[in-house]
Amino acid sequence: MKKNEILILDFGSQYTQLIARSVREQKVFSRIMPFNVHIEAIKKLDLGGIILSGGPCNVYQRNAPLPDERIFDLGIPVLGICYGMQYLGHQFKGHVKKTDKREYGYADLLINSNTDLFYGLPKKIQCWMSHGDHISRVPNGFERIAHTKSSTIASIRSKNKLFYGVQFHPEVKHTPLGKKIISNFLFRICKLRPDWTPRHFITQSIEEIREKVGKGKVVLGLSGGVDSSVAAILLHKAIGRRLTCIFVDNGVLRKGESKKLREVFKRNFKINLKMIDAERGFLRELKGITDPEAKRKAIGHEFIRVFQREAKKIGKVDFLAQGTLYPDVIESVSFHGGPTATIKSHHNVGGLPKKMKLKLVEPLRELFKDEVRLVGRTLGLPSEVVDRQPFPGPGLAVRILGEVTKMRCDLLREADAIVLEEIKKAGLYKKIWQSFAVLLPINSVGVMGDERTYENVCAIRAVYSSDGMTADWVRLPEDVLARISNRIINEARGINRVCYDISSKPPATIEWE
């Protein structure tokens, strides 16, 4: 069991994952659960504190999301953020009501007491507000410790100094000293230890894998990406030769993936590895499908079918291992009835057939991508694996808009390889979260030499991100874009027009499908 934890109860805030990351960045493990998680489940955790997230609801409305009030009987500190603070006001008989003027954006926070939550901070700091309700009367047993020009009660604490509330968002970068506030909560108030490190995670994961797997055998899909590679090494360290890795060439991989994977893992690691050419079967399952979700489901089902078939060939296998990450879980399914919305299914999570015969082991499902990279480096994985940009489970199938065919896959592979080559030449590869090509389901008129052409349109996508939850488009240098466009049109026969995607996430997603 993890020690020294912070539990974040999710009320549907767009910033809930940022709270989790802010805590983890200070080497304290955090986990997110829905606001209505049962108190007995909370008691099973070794908690040092609880954070109540923000949310879009009004605390006084009918059927407002409210947690089990017995969290206040656990004897541990609680920090409410935005809606979380309003809930504290509501629970302890303060008064919460709509503001006369909604407060959104930057505000100057005037600190009345800097002895604990605001320890070491100046009397005035910048903060980020986003609320339409406010506490108009301090709740019973509490006192005001900060205010703004518009919010006379912008932060509160209980007089026994266990419960705290802030109306603003310390977890976002728009509150420059927000990390210090969270640090004060973790270490001055909750008295936690900054001991959640990659090495700590590795040691703990190996123990958990051994406990779960027992004497069983595990099969894992090794794609060569950082997620599956780190999962493979963790499992190999835990159970050795009882792990078999299977690389499935599903026909929707990038150019040269099979060769690269064979070279890297043959050179660096002594892992049981089977290479399976399944391109024909996957493309057959994708034939005629244009709906993105249907593509994901088709690939997920075929993936499991191939694995079950190959598992039979290597004897009795008990577990299927996957490199599922925390954002996969967050984006794929709502939190057990909680308020977080479903965005898309993921073949590692939402697309698994109900008749799957293998049990799952997912050693990375509580990590964000950057944390996986840190673990990978600690495990000794080479840079070409650890620093590899994320690649979606459904591969090029969700980067080919419309039907997926071998001809369209081959065309996109060429264009995509050019994008990566030029990004690397420009020294931008490690600075960018993802950069890739997308094949659009339209043709456009062009002129090559003295001839008219009517060929495919390709879009280029490059984004900055830290975990894939939010992203901003990269302002690529004009000369880099020019080289990419020129090379694609000249070398990827069948494309005569290149466009650049300048949308951020949200409102767009990183992938086009």
Side-chain angles (χ1 to χ4, degrees):
M1 179 181 289
K2 295 182 176 67
K3 308 295 182 182
N4 220 28
E5 285 188 28
I6 285 289
L7 171 64
I8 300 161
L9 293 182
D10 179 21
F11 292 88
S13 171
Q14 61 181 316
Y15 301 136
T16 299
Q17 291 78 39
L18 294 181
I19 301 172
R21 292 184 55 78
S22 297
V23 173
R24 292 187 186 193
E25 285 171 1
Q26 306 202 45
K27 298 182 180 179
V28 173
F29 182 77
S30 62
R31 70 169 73 236
I32 300 171
M33 287 186 167
F35 70 89
N36 54 0
V37 64
H38 198 279
I39 190 65
E40 294 304 320
I42 295 176
K43 287 180 179 179
K44 291 178 181 178
L45 306 176
D46 192 5
L47 294 180
I50 294 175
I51 296 179
L52 311 176
S53 84
C57 299
N58 309 108
V59 74
Y60 47 77
Q61 72 186 45
R62 178 179 293 184
N63 298 322
L66 303 176
D68 192 316
E69 61 186 34
R70 286 174 289 181
I71 61 173
F72 300 112
D73 299 327
L74 297 175
I76 58 175
V78 176
L79 171 64
I81 295 175
C82 199
Y83 178 91
M85 169 170 150
Q86 293 163 16
Y87 167 69
L88 288 174
H90 176 80
Q91 175 67 22
F92 291 97
K93 312 304 180 186
H95 189 223
V96 181
K97 67 176 186 177
K98 282 193 177 298
T99 58
D100 294 330
K101 184 179 180 181
R102 188 167 183 260
E103 193 174 23
Y104 182 85
Y106 290 106
D108 288 329
L109 184 74
L110 305 174
I111 296 173
N112 302 99
S113 172
N114 58 3
T115 58
D116 42 22
L117 189 63
F118 299 122
Y119 177 82
L121 299 181
K123 286 292 185 180
K124 183 171 79 170
I125 67 170
Q126 188 181 82
C127 68
W128 181 260
M129 289 286 191
S130 179
H131 65 103
D133 293 337
H134 72 132
I135 295 177
S136 60
R137 185 178 69 237
V138 176
N140 296 340
F142 281 73
E143 58 188 335
R144 182 184 76 163
I145 56 174
H147 65 282
T148 69
K149 183 178 180 181
S150 300
S151 296
T152 57
I153 305 172
S155 182
I156 57 175
R157 73 178 169 208
S158 61
K159 292 180 179 177
N160 65 5
K161 298 184 180 178
L162 268 183
F163 310 137
Y164 294 77
V166 292
Q167 185 59 68
F168 59 94
H169 289 274
E171 71 273 24
V172 303
K173 64 181 180 181
H174 307 301
T175 302
L177 294 176
K179 287 185 179 180
K180 174 63 175 174
I181 296 170
I182 292 174
S183 174
N184 284 338
F185 179 70
L186 299 177
F187 304 121
R188 299 191 66 84
I189 295 170
C190 298
K191 311 294 184 184
L192 303 182
R193 304 176 303 278
D195 62 2
W196 194 71
T197 63
R199 196 163 296 284
H200 175 87
F201 172 81
I202 290 167
T203 301
Q204 180 176 278
S205 294
I206 289 172
E207 292 176 359
E208 290 176 352
I209 290 167
R210 287 172 177 166
E211 182 179 351
K212 181 171 184 175
V213 172
K215 296 182 179 180
K217 293 184 178 181
V218 180
V219 62
L220 176 142
L222 186 58
S223 69
V226 62
D227 304 338
S228 66
S229 298
V230 172
I233 301 305
L234 275 174
L235 285 157
H236 183 65
K237 284 184 174 292
I239 62 173
R241 302 291 290 179
R242 287 185 287 121
L243 168 69
T244 299
C245 292
I246 297 177
F247 171 73
V248 178
D249 186 344
N250 57 16
V252 288
L253 299 176
R254 280 176 163 168
K255 187 177 181 179
E257 290 284 274
S258 298
K259 183 179 178 181
K260 289 177 185 176
L261 182 137
R262 189 188 296 272
E263 289 175 353
V264 168
F265 281 86
K266 185 175 182 180
R267 184 174 73 241
N268 291 281
F269 304 102
K270 298 178 180 178
I271 291 179
N272 288 334
L273 177 60
K274 296 184 67 177
M275 310 285 287
I276 309 299
D277 183 358
E279 179 184 50
R280 184 176 299 177
F282 276 89
L283 292 180
R284 182 180 62 245
E285 293 298 315
L286 287 166
K287 186 176 181 179
I289 296 176
T290 58
D291 178 74
E293 285 296 287
K295 289 180 186 178
R296 292 173 183 271
K297 292 281 196 306
I299 289 173
H301 281 250
E302 182 66 6
F303 173 78
I304 298 301
R305 191 188 71 78
V306 171
F307 260 74
Q308 289 179 331
R309 182 190 69 203
E310 296 303 321
K312 287 181 181 179
K313 295 179 182 178
I314 59 178
K316 185 178 183 297
V317 176
D318 308 283
F319 292 88
L320 170 67
Q322 294 187 150
T324 308
L325 304 189
Y326 214 12
D328 296 336
V329 177
I330 293 166
E331 289 198 344
S332 299
V333 291
S334 299
F335 277 109
H336 312 293
T340 304
T342 298
I343 298 173
K344 65 182 178 183
S345 70
H346 184 282
H347 86 282
N348 279 355
V349 184
L352 295 175
K354 294 179 180 178
K355 295 181 180 180
M356 189 185 71
K357 298 176 182 178
L358 303 176
K359 292 175 284 186
L360 284 179
V361 55
E362 299 171 307
L364 309 179
R365 69 178 287 117
E366 292 181 331
L367 297 186
F368 291 98
K369 176 69 78 170
D370 60 321
E371 294 170 333
V372 176
R373 295 189 197 281
L374 290 173
V375 170
R377 291 189 184 97
T378 305
L379 287 168
L381 278 164
S383 177
E384 60 192 295
V385 174
V386 174
D387 296 319
R388 185 179 190 257
Q389 292 181 355
F391 187 65
L396 300 181
V398 292
R399 294 178 179 175
I400 295 175
L401 277 62
E403 185 178 10
V404 179
T405 65
K406 188 176 190 317
M407 184 177 68
R408 299 191 80 202
C409 286
D410 290 341
L411 183 58
L412 180 57
R413 263 189 279 271
E414 290 301 320
D416 187 72
I418 291 168
V419 172
L420 292 182
E421 286 174 16
E422 292 300 330
I423 292 292
K424 288 176 180 178
K425 285 180 184 177
L428 298 171
Y429 185 78
K430 292 183 181 180
K431 299 176 183 178
I432 294 174
W433 175 260
Q434 276 177 284
S435 49
F436 55 89
V438 180
L439 192 61
L440 305 187
I442 56 174
N443 287 5
S444 73
V445 174
V447 177
M448 290 188 178
D450 295 323
E451 296 183 359
R452 176 185 181 275
T453 63
Y454 190 59
E455 295 179 333
N456 292 274
V457 178
C458 173
I460 307 304
R461 182 76 157 138
V463 297
Y464 292 123
S465 182
S466 59
D467 54 25
M469 300 301 296
T470 60
D472 189 22
W473 63 280
V474 177
R475 279 67 173 171
L476 285 176
E478 290 183 10
D479 60 327
V480 175
L481 282 172
R483 285 196 300 272
I484 290 173
S485 176
N486 183 268
R487 285 193 60 194
I488 287 176
I489 291 172
N490 281 283
E491 299 174 33
R493 299 293 181 89
I495 295 174
N496 69 356
R497 190 178 299 271
V498 175
C499 304
Y500 190 50
D501 183 348
I502 60 169
S503 51
S504 298
K505 176 184 179 181
T509 53
I510 295 176
E511 299 292 344
W512 277 48
E513 289 192 340

